[in-house]
């Protein structure tokens, strides 16, 4: 029960690593705001997690989503203690196939959204006197891959953002 009564926002938590993180946080006593884009998945997961889980749907490519999901977490649970920036897109692209629109979309979700979410959450953390952020990284932040140009670039930026915090 290491997270007893902590309020955790987890982006991209209707599948994969985010879903597993949400399940573990609930098992450790947390209240969890599940985030995703698929309402059926979010509803199903929250039904399984029980009364300490709620969900918010938002497209992180939209700049206002960060503020919306933090404020929804605070409104529902009365605060926020931890942010897990897990959501990401892993669109395959090489230097030759990465155009400006695709690059901007990947960076918006994988880098800009975490920054904006953190900015909003820190306001709440300061009022509560504490808070924590976990940015889910990738080995591609260090090494990259020829077929993950935009993803690797965004994860490299997220790693630098984490150090700057």
């Amino acid at each position: 029960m290491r997270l007893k009564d902590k309020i955790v926002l987890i982006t991209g938590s209707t599948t994969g690593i985010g879903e597993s993180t949400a399940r573990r946080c609930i098992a450790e006593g947390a209240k969890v705001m599940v985030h995703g884009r698929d309402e059926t998945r979010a509803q199903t997961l929250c039904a399984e997690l029980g009364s300490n889980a709620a969900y918010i749907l938002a497209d992180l490519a939209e700049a206002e989503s960060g503020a919306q999901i933090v404020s929804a977490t605070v409104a529902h649970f009365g605060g926020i203690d931890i942010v897990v920036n897990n959501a990401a897109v892993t669109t395959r692209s090489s230097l030759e196939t990465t155009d400006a629109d695709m690059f901007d979309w990947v960076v918006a979700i994988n880098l800009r959204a975490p920054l904006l979410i953190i900015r909003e959450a820190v306001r709440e953390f300061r009022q509560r006197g504490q808070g924590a952020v976990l940015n889910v990284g990738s080995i591609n932040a260090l090494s990259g891959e020829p077929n993950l140009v935009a993803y690797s670039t965004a994860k490299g930026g997220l790693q630098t953002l984490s150090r700057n915090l």
Side-chain angles (χ1 to χ4, degrees), residues 36-96:
R37 295 179 301 161
D38 184 305
E39 187 158 22
T40 301
R41 284 182 179 164
Q43 287 176 341
T44 300
L45 179 59
C46 286
E48 291 175 24
L49 295 177
S51 62
N52 281 336
Y55 71 89
I56 178 78
L57 301 177
D59 181 352
L60 295 180
E62 298 174 12
E64 63 278 356
S65 292
Q68 289 172 348
I69 66 176
V70 171
S71 66
T73 303
V74 172
H76 186 82
F77 291 115
I80 187 168
D81 298 299
I82 301 167
V83 169
V84 179
N85 280 311
N86 170 72
V89 291
T90 56
T91 304
R92 304 274 190 246
S93 69
S94 65
L95 180 61
E96 292 78 17

Side-chain angles (χ1 to χ4, degrees), residues 10-24 41 45 86 136:
I10 307 168
T11 65
S13 51
T14 58
T15 62
I17 293 169
E19 179 184 345
S20 294
T21 303
R23 290 181 187 283
R24 186 75 232 157
R41 284 182 179 164
L45 179 59
N86 170 72
V136 177

Side-chain angles (χ1 to χ4, degrees), residues 81-85 118 121-122 125 131-135 165:
D81 298 299
I82 301 167
V83 169
V84 179
N85 280 311
I118 293 165
V122 163
F125 293 168
V133 174
L134 172 66
N135 292 323
L165 293 176

Side-chain angles (χ1 to χ4, degrees), residues 1 21 25 28 34 39 76 80 83 86 91 98 101 107 113 122 145 151 162:
M1 300 305 280
T21 303
C25 287
E28 292 287 343
V34 169
E39 187 158 22
H76 186 82
I80 187 168
V83 169
N86 170 72
T91 304
T98 303
D101 289 337
V107 169
V122 163
E145 285 187 51
Y151 173 81
S162 298

